Every structure is written in structure tokens, then in C-alpha cells.
Amino acid sequence: QIVLTGQPELKDVLMRPNLTQLRQRVGVSVHLKGLDLQDTRDYIGSRLHFVQEGGDGGPMFHDDVIAGVHKLSRGIPRLINAVSDRILMAAYARHTKDITMEVAQSAFDEMAFVCA
């Protein structure tokens, strides 16, 4: 048995004529959708929880920042991580744990082309 996982482009690859026999052996195909806004909020909250373990209180994303992360990433966890990492770097550079839209905006601007 073989399990294939990949980006949405994997489906396109499997449609190539030279992969017909492999495609015929795929028993189950599932496409995961992006997270909704609440799931994005929970996902970021869960990741921040681990950052705060044993610490003196970690960063705090404001609601409008989470909404911005969700919109830019379309709820795709890999992109949520990338955008959030960039936001955390911007906050670190400003010596703040209070993640406001002002802090996040430069990260949104930088990541817009990555998430397009």
C-alpha cells in the first residue's frame, strides 16, 4: 500500500498519461480545505500556547491581526505559519509582545506575494 500526500498540484501530476496505472490504484483521494476564521484563531492560539509554556507570557495577536492572517493565508496552515512567523519577527524587532495591526502590517505587505 502507498500513501501519497502533497500540495494540490499533486492531483495535476497524477493526471499525466504516463501515470495512468498509478492513478488507477489510488483508492481514496481527499482534498483538505483551508481553515475557517475560528479554526485559524484556535490554530494560532494553540501554537502560541506552546511558545508561552514555562515563559513569562508570550506574544498576543489582536483579533484584527488574526483576521488578517486568515484572509492572507486563506486558512492554509502552512501559510498561516509563514505569515505568523514573519509577524513574530516584526514584533521581536520592535521589542513587543503586543501584536497589533501596526506591528503586523509590514509582515502582511511582505508576505502578500508569497500567499498569492
Side-chain angles (χ1 to χ4, degrees):
Q1 292 183 354
I2 299 173
V3 176
L4 299 174
T5 61
Q7 306 295 325
E9 296 80 12
L10 177 60
K11 192 173 190 178
D12 296 334
V13 171
L14 289 174
M15 294 307 293
R16 293 180 185 164
N18 62 331
L19 294 177
T20 299
Q21 290 185 9
L22 176 61
R23 187 175 59 252
Q24 291 170 346
R25 287 167 174 78
V26 173
V28 176
S29 178
V30 176
H31 175 78
L32 300 177
K33 296 180 182 177
L35 305 176
D36 65 21
L37 179 57
Q38 183 58 49
D39 288 338
T40 298
R41 179 176 285 110
D42 293 344
Y43 182 74
I44 291 172
S46 174
R47 292 186 53 99
L48 288 175
H49 173 76
F50 290 105
V51 170
Q52 296 171 13
E53 287 285 319
D56 59 351
M60 178 62 128
F61 282 53
H62 287 218
D63 284 341
D64 57 345
V65 173
I66 292 174
V69 170
H70 178 260
K71 181 178 179 182
L72 187 60
S73 70
R74 298 178 312 281
I76 300 169
R78 174 178 43 84
L79 296 177
I80 293 170
N81 293 340
V83 173
S84 297
D85 286 348
R86 190 66 58 102
I87 290 170
L88 290 170
M89 290 298 292
Y92 178 79
R94 290 179 178 223
H95 306 287
T96 186
K97 293 180 182 179
D98 187 30
I99 314 286
T100 63
M101 188 57 84
E102 180 182 346
V103 172
Q105 190 60 55
S106 64
F108 289 150
D109 294 343
E110 291 173 15
M111 295 300 293
F113 77 97
V114 173
C115 296

